[in-house]
Amino acid sequence: MTNPSVVIRQVRPGINLMRDYVALPKSYGTDAYFSREDVRTIRETVFSALDALDEHEGFVDKLAAAERAVIKPNLVSVYHESGLEKADYPESTDPRVLDAVVEWVQRYQPNVLIAESSGKPMPTRTSFKVSGVDRIARYRRTGLMELETCPVVRYLLPKARVMREVLVPKPFADVAEGRAFYVSVPKLKTNLYTRVTLGFKNAMGIIPYALRERNHNFLIDDKLTDLLYLIRPDLTLIDGLVGGEGNTPAPVDPVDSRVLIAGVDPVATDRVGTRVMGFDPDKIPLLTKATERGFFRGEAELDGELPVFHFRPADASLLGEPFHRHFPNVLTLVGHSLPHAPRVTDPNAVTPEMARELEQACRGGCLAALRSGFEYVVYAPKKDQSRALAVIIGSGVECQGTRWWFDRDGRPYSEKDVRSLDLPLLTLGNCADHLRDVARWRTPGCCSPSTCMLAATSAMKIPFPLLSLKNKSFFNFGLEAVRMVAVRAAKSLAGTWIDVPSQHKAEIYPVREVSPAERDLDFVAWPLPKMDWRTRLKIAGDQLAMLKL
């Protein structure tokens, strides 16, 4: 078996790519727009990359034979005039790139669907409108679907380690079963939860909200790798024209990386994207997990020069110097008792390094989400970063008959010390919820990212930027959020599965028994049962609870 090919194409210096890289201008669709130098160059670069990739991999026949192409950008949040310090942040797929990809795909497959589900509770219709993706769909005459309101199909993954039950919207059931051709168009950016977020992590936006939150904790890398048994992009084109460095899903800073990366092997393509950002893919757990499971076929044969930048890594820590510099009066106390966390036998012997290891024992959940919330404060136009509070992370380390937490210097705090602090307390996740009686802010769940983010901004006494009147799409956001919740609740009450009941447990959820004949299969269809009224009311109630956010 030959190694997969990955094509790299760069845009030459001198062409301004920093214009309209988040949201299309009103002139989109006119001759004036399509004659712009940046738009013409982006189109030529996308076509060059995909044409060259087809010469290497010959994927066009599969694209043409499919019933349709499903194109998924990354619109987890679209930061355009959103009430932050700057007008634009490179969080989402460049709509100029997406438009060129759609045009190229339509040369071979006329039936195209653009599909996405933004991060909860962001309504995807708002993301479509702000970015201009809705106008791309109208101009190119494609389908357009917000996946959060789409009925789902259930599968069992016999070889999965964490997410053995998976529900996907019907268009992606067509992908899984080989009827549709899947094109992933992610952004080249860093990420708090998984360090990088590229082609196959883009699938997180496919699964429904409550399923996303399951095992959104220290198991997240295994969970995302499990998805590869069911959903693998047939084509990945990474948008790195304007890369994003920093703490996604909070705003990230632009990098003038000027690169597109295309491949048909999702893991090989993501490894190239990781190297372009200046990171070693063998030190990224998400990618090493994929290698362990056999999804890595070998390093890619490159067509094009590999540029190497040095993106600022995501810093998922409240103990480190960057956080302390921004928030000098926030006391962070960590104390995880998870099986893989460092074992403490003497609370007075904990070093700063051990405290950091304790903190990072659950990077992929509440910690990263709360860090993201504090980052929104950093990027808010008006804020007071000197506010004092204490953040409690973890259930405490059991030692010498009591629970202990540790600050950034390794200094121990007993539960009595914590309860006696003369600071307002923010408790993180289910782990620290036994301190809820003394907490001013709580973030129950394992993990509820939006709850954690909102707790941080609330504790620092600023409105969450997207929920403020400074966000120029505030009213559209509000109306579409209410509409989205109403549609999801109504479908649930009608007995249509659009999600699973929301649960927040630090455990691997049970599934039915796997038969001997199924054990070696990547996935098995597992039809959902008729929904009883108790389940209908529970799922509908979960939707209405989103309005509290």
Side-chain angles (χ1 to χ4, degrees):
M1 181 181 295
T2 59
N3 286 5
S5 295
V6 170
V7 173
I8 301 170
R9 292 291 182 267
Q10 299 180 65
V11 173
R12 61 178 172 80
I15 296 176
N16 180 15
L17 298 178
M18 303 298 287
R19 176 185 179 191
D20 305 323
Y21 69 87
V22 176
L24 290 173
K26 292 181 179 179
S27 62
Y28 171 77
T30 66
D31 290 342
Y33 173 81
F34 288 116
S35 64
R36 280 173 32 179
E37 184 181 34
D38 61 319
V39 174
R40 287 188 290 104
T41 301
I42 289 169
R43 180 184 181 275
E44 291 166 3
T45 308
V46 168
F47 276 47
S48 170
L50 297 180
D51 286 343
L53 183 64
D54 182 56
E55 290 181 10
H56 293 296
E57 298 286 354
F59 63 88
V60 159
D61 289 344
K62 182 178 180 181
L63 170 61
E67 293 181 7
R68 68 175 167 186
V70 180
I71 302 178
K72 184 189 177 302
N74 184 332
L75 305 179
V76 59
S77 289
V78 180
Y79 295 133
H80 175 65
E81 298 181 337
S82 300
L84 299 160
E85 279 186 328
K86 297 178 182 178
D88 292 313
Y89 294 91
E91 191 82 12
S92 49
T93 302
D94 189 325
R96 300 169 299 178
V97 172
L98 180 64
D99 182 54
V101 170
V102 171
E103 183 185 0
W104 189 91
V105 167
Q106 286 181 322
R107 292 164 59 184
Y108 307 99
Q109 174 53 259
N111 187 5
V112 172
L113 173 69
I114 302 172
E116 172 62 315
S117 175
S118 296
K120 173 187 172 183
M122 170 65 74
T124 307
R125 282 164 58 113
T126 295
S127 298
F128 287 156
K129 182 176 178 62
V130 173
S131 63
V133 170
D134 58 345
R135 287 183 284 144
I136 292 176
R138 287 195 297 271
Y139 183 82
R140 299 293 177 190
R141 298 183 180 181
T142 73
L144 184 66
M145 180 178 291
E146 71 273 18
L147 296 173
E148 64 263 33
T149 60
C150 182
V152 293
V153 177
R154 183 170 67 168
Y155 295 91
L156 175 68
L157 309 185
K159 294 186 283 189
R161 293 180 182 175
V162 174
M163 194 166 57
R164 306 189 76 193
E165 178 189 33
V166 179
L167 283 70
V168 296
K170 288 185 176 179
F172 282 91
D174 292 337
V175 169
E177 297 177 22
R179 295 184 292 273
F181 187 96
Y182 171 31
V183 183
S184 178
V185 192
K187 192 70 170 176
L188 185 76
K189 61 182 180 179
T190 55
N191 182 270
L192 280 166
Y193 300 110
T194 56
R195 296 165 175 81
V196 300
T197 174
L198 298 166
F200 77 82
K201 186 189 176 297
N202 197 19
M204 188 68 143
I206 293 171
I207 59 178
Y209 289 153
L211 198 61
R212 287 184 210 179
E213 293 180 350
R214 280 190 190 177
N215 304 120
H216 201 311
N217 51 29
F218 59 91
L219 294 170
I220 193 168
D221 296 311
D222 271 316
K223 169 182 174 171
L224 288 165
T225 305
D226 288 339
L227 271 175
L228 287 171
Y229 290 118
L230 182 67
I231 301 290
R232 299 176 210 169
D234 296 294
L235 170 64
T236 299
L237 187 135
I238 300 172
D239 160 31
L241 295 184
V242 180
E245 64 176 5
N247 292 330
T248 302
V252 286
D253 295 319
V255 178
D256 189 24
S257 40
R258 316 178 75 83
V259 65
L260 297 175
I261 305 161
V264 298
D265 183 303
V267 177
T269 308
D270 284 4
R271 287 176 65 91
V272 172
T274 300
R275 299 207 319 261
V276 167
M277 288 190 280
F279 306 121
D280 181 351
D282 290 324
K283 294 182 179 178
I284 302 296
L286 180 63
L287 296 175
T288 59
K289 298 283 186 184
T291 299
E292 289 171 10
R293 308 277 197 93
F295 292 116
F296 177 43
R297 295 192 291 130
E299 295 292 358
E301 299 287 340
L302 299 183
D303 178 337
E305 181 181 348
L306 178 78
V308 177
F309 300 88
H310 297 283
F311 280 43
R312 185 174 79 253
D315 177 36
S317 176
L318 275 65
L319 297 180
E321 186 57 34
F323 182 84
H324 185 64
R325 185 171 61 249
H326 284 299
F327 302 99
N329 297 319
V330 173
L331 172 66
T332 302
L333 301 178
V334 300
H336 277 300
S337 56
L338 297 164
H340 58 279
R343 187 179 178 188
V344 175
T345 56
D346 180 356
N348 294 303
V350 170
T351 63
E353 293 74 22
M354 185 179 290
R356 181 66 178 265
E357 288 179 39
L358 282 167
E359 179 196 38
Q360 295 297 306
C362 192
R363 173 177 175 141
C366 300
L367 171 65
L370 187 71
R371 182 70 174 87
S372 182
F374 278 106
E375 200 75 353
Y376 282 106
V377 178
V378 173
Y379 285 85
K382 292 183 179 180
K383 66 268 188 178
D384 178 4
Q385 294 171 231
S386 66
R387 292 188 181 277
L389 72 146
V391 176
I392 312 302
I393 300 174
S395 59
V397 175
E398 293 278 358
C399 186
Q400 299 178 356
T402 190
R403 299 182 195 226
W404 298 88
W405 291 262
F406 305 89
D407 67 13
R408 67 194 299 262
D409 296 318
R411 177 186 171 187
Y413 290 72
S414 68
E415 181 166 345
K416 181 180 178 181
D417 295 332
V418 171
R419 290 180 173 276
S420 301
L421 286 170
D422 189 23
L423 289 170
L425 263 61
L426 187 161
T427 56
L428 192 58
N430 288 346
C431 294
D433 209 37
H434 60 284
L435 296 168
R436 60 185 174 274
D437 58 308
V438 292
R440 185 174 298 183
W441 301 277
R442 298 170 52 232
T443 62
C446 186
C447 150
S448 175
S450 52
T451 301
C452 295
M453 294 176 198
L454 290 167
T457 55
S458 178
M460 299 307 290
K461 306 297 185 184
I462 71 160
F464 191 74
L466 300 180
L467 301 178
S468 75
L469 291 174
K470 294 184 181 294
N471 176 7
K472 291 193 175 181
S473 299
F474 172 77
F475 291 105
N476 178 272
F477 176 101
L479 290 171
E480 289 294 352
V482 171
R483 173 198 165 274
M484 179 263 289
V485 166
V487 170
R488 284 172 60 89
K491 288 187 175 182
S492 300
L493 289 173
T496 299
W497 289 93
I498 46 91
D499 211 331
V500 294
S502 179
Q503 299 180 69
H504 285 273
K505 301 176 183 177
E507 65 180 38
I508 296 175
Y509 289 75
V511 296
R512 71 164 175 81
E513 186 176 351
V514 176
S515 72
E518 295 171 335
R519 286 175 188 161
D520 293 328
L521 299 177
D522 283 352
F523 64 87
V524 178
W526 186 16
L528 287 157
K530 183 177 179 180
M531 199 185 301
D532 59 41
W533 270 103
R534 184 175 181 179
T535 304
R536 295 184 192 196
L537 292 171
K538 171 66 171 77
I539 297 179
D542 293 340
Q543 312 320 308
L544 298 175
M546 278 194 280
L547 295 177
K548 296 179 182 178
L549 296 174

